[in-house]
Amino acid sequence: MSVISRTINGRSELGKSAGFTLIELVIVVVVLGLLAATALPRLLDFTEEAEDATVEGVAGGFATGVGLVRAQWEIEGRPSDNQGTNATFVTIEGIQVAVDKDTGYPTGQLNSDASSEDTQMNDLDCESIFNLIMQSAPTISSNWAQRPFEDHRYFTRASEGTGSGGNDQCYYYLSRTVRNLTAEPTNNGQGNGFVYDPRIGQVIVFSNN
């Protein structure tokens, strides 16, 4: 509360102001409300743009990794069934990455199942691809029961038979965009993320902001 000076009978006295009037308080509240209404949508836009930028960056790194695995397959002479029937791999920096024997695109990790074919992929394969082909990959889970994914930035699942050639695909979701869903997402109609098609090595980003 401010202090004002006034003169009474030639003497100066100090007095206290009465503070804000009701009208002044109402005006302040209205102004703050207008500012909040203007600023909040912009903050939400910034959040959505940040989510999109994050997904695009990770998807770009993932696509680069896919290309490197395919190139290694070519360098190694297009190996086929070099680990057994329907089990093909290439080696990158001492790490074995499962690939489809016909296309050379990564399909997971051989010790997670008995086949490296792009028609025999499961959730763990999708998780393995993500971890194997990217350096310093973000944390990821393929277990929906771990929702709300406080320790994982991405959630992944395999989608059977939805690829370009009837093959399986991998869906990768930014976990914060799906953690409040009551049921596991099954396509690109929910959340933000990207889809990997191992038949053609294609990576497609999607956003539902």
Side-chain angles (χ1 to χ4, degrees):
M1 191 174 291
S2 60
V3 178
I4 59 174
S5 176
R6 58 182 177 176
T7 302
I8 300 178
N9 297 328
R11 293 181 303 171
S12 177
E13 286 190 1
L14 293 179
K16 294 182 179 180
S17 67
F20 292 112
T21 65
L22 180 59
I23 294 177
E24 289 172 333
L25 289 173
V26 170
I27 292 174
V28 170
V29 171
V30 170
V31 170
L32 290 176
L34 290 174
L35 289 174
T38 303
L40 188 58
R42 292 185 179 180
L43 291 176
L44 292 175
D45 287 342
F46 288 147
T47 300
E48 292 175 353
E49 289 173 5
E51 289 177 351
D52 290 342
T54 296
V55 170
E56 288 172 3
V58 172
F62 185 94
T64 299
V66 168
L68 291 174
V69 172
R70 177 63 164 70
Q72 185 65 29
W73 182 69
E74 294 283 0
I75 291 171
E76 294 184 15
R78 297 189 173 188
S80 175
D81 293 338
N82 57 348
Q83 185 73 14
T85 304
N86 293 330
T88 305
F89 72 91
V90 297
T91 304
I92 299 179
E93 296 183 352
I95 299 174
Q96 291 185 347
V97 181
V99 298
D100 183 273
K101 65 182 178 183
D102 297 317
T103 66
Y105 288 115
T107 54
Q109 188 170 331
L110 286 177
N111 62 10
S112 66
D113 56 42
S115 175
S116 65
E117 297 302 284
D118 63 13
T119 55
Q120 298 294 321
M121 296 177 64
N122 56 41
D123 294 344
L124 285 177
D125 283 325
C126 292
E127 183 177 339
S128 295
I129 296 170
F130 193 87
N131 287 322
L132 288 172
I133 72 173
M134 288 199 298
Q135 189 172 25
S136 301
T139 52
I140 188 170
S141 172
S142 58
N143 184 358
W144 182 248
Q146 292 183 330
R147 185 170 53 96
F149 306 114
E150 294 179 356
D151 298 322
H152 302 91
R153 292 184 61 193
Y154 280 83
F155 167 72
T156 184
R157 67 179 304 276
S159 181
E160 183 178 352
T162 59
S164 57
N167 55 287
D168 304 332
Q169 295 189 111
C170 293
Y171 280 81
Y172 297 96
Y173 301 90
L174 186 63
S175 61
R176 64 176 295 165
T177 65
V178 295
R179 64 186 179 187
N180 293 324
L181 298 179
T182 55
E184 182 176 347
T186 59
N187 52 42
N188 60 1
Q190 295 173 300
N192 300 342
F194 59 94
V195 187
Y196 167 54
D197 185 338
R199 178 62 58 92
I200 55 177
Q202 187 176 53
V203 178
I204 301 178
V205 175
F206 63 87
S207 174
N208 290 284
N209 283 333

